[in-house]
């Protein structure tokens, strides 16, 4: 599964990332991590003090990857709308859910400040980054004047995360695609109702 050149700590972290995504914190046992990483117990505890330490390293890497992916698209060429669309429409493993968003539904993750904090910080960063681009769009006349960028950014994040839930519930990515398409339509609308995008998303 892993390259022979990959260092043992990296294999352990990557294995933990996958298992947290698939099974959650409780379902990610040290034995499962070791088996997936092809590493022994001694190697695991040589590099990490225990499961919480390894889980934190995995969560930090997962959140860093989310930031890097988002930044690549949001820093890309094009207008504000084109960059936001690129982020919203990027290819995702929709039916697996968001590897970061799913952590917020794990009671064992949110109960620990050391595991929850990187997730909260990343989602806060994402809302801020999106809000900045929405503001650019308002300044350039792409979006209706008077909208509140922070509210629109929060609605974007909520729509993406809610889209994962709808897709998983229906067993089809179509529900995710419809949620994103609806948000983009509202965002570019010149009707004053665009100010209620976040309210509309909350009501779904």
């Amino acid at each position: 599964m892993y390259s022979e050149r990959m260092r043992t700590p990296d294999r352990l972290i990557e294995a933990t990332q996958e298992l947290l995504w698939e099974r959650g914190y409780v379902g990610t046992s040290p034995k499962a991590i070791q088996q997936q990483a092809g590493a022994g117990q001694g190697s695991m505890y040589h590099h990490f003090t225990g499961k919480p330490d390894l889980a934190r390293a995995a969560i930090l890497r997962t959140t860093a990857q989310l930031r890097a992916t988002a930044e690549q698209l949001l820093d890309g060429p094009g207008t504000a709308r084109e960059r936001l669309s690129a982020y919203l429409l990027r290819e995702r493993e929709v039916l697996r859910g968001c590897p970061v968003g799913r952590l917020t539904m794990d009671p064992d993750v949110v109960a620990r400040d050391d595991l929850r904090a990187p997730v909260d910080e990343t989602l806060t960063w994402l809302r801020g980054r999106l809000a900045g681009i929405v503001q650019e769009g308002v300044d350039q006349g792409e979006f209706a004047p008077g909208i509140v960028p922070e509210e629109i950014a929060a609605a974007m994040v909520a729509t993406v995360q809610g889209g994962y839930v709808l897709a998983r519930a229906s067993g089809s990515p179509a529900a995710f695609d419809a949620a994103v398409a609806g948000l983009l339509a509202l965002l570019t609308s010149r009707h004053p109702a665009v100010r209620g995008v976040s309210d509309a998303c909350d009501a779904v």
Side-chain angles (χ1 to χ4, degrees), residues 123-198:
L123 294 176
T124 298
W125 169 85
L126 181 59
R127 292 198 306 273
R129 189 72 180 83
L130 293 171
I133 297 177
V134 173
Q135 184 63 61
E136 288 180 35
V138 172
D139 294 342
Q140 296 298 319
E142 292 183 67
F143 306 140
I147 65 173
V148 181
E150 291 76 15
E151 292 180 356
I152 300 300
M156 287 184 182
V157 176
T159 298
V160 169
Q161 294 302 322
Y164 281 117
V165 172
L166 294 175
R168 285 171 61 82
S170 66
S172 170
F176 181 96
D177 297 339
V180 168
L183 177 61
L184 286 171
L186 285 171
L187 182 60
T188 55
S189 170
R190 286 292 177 177
H191 192 278
V194 74
R195 293 189 59 141
V197 168
S198 59

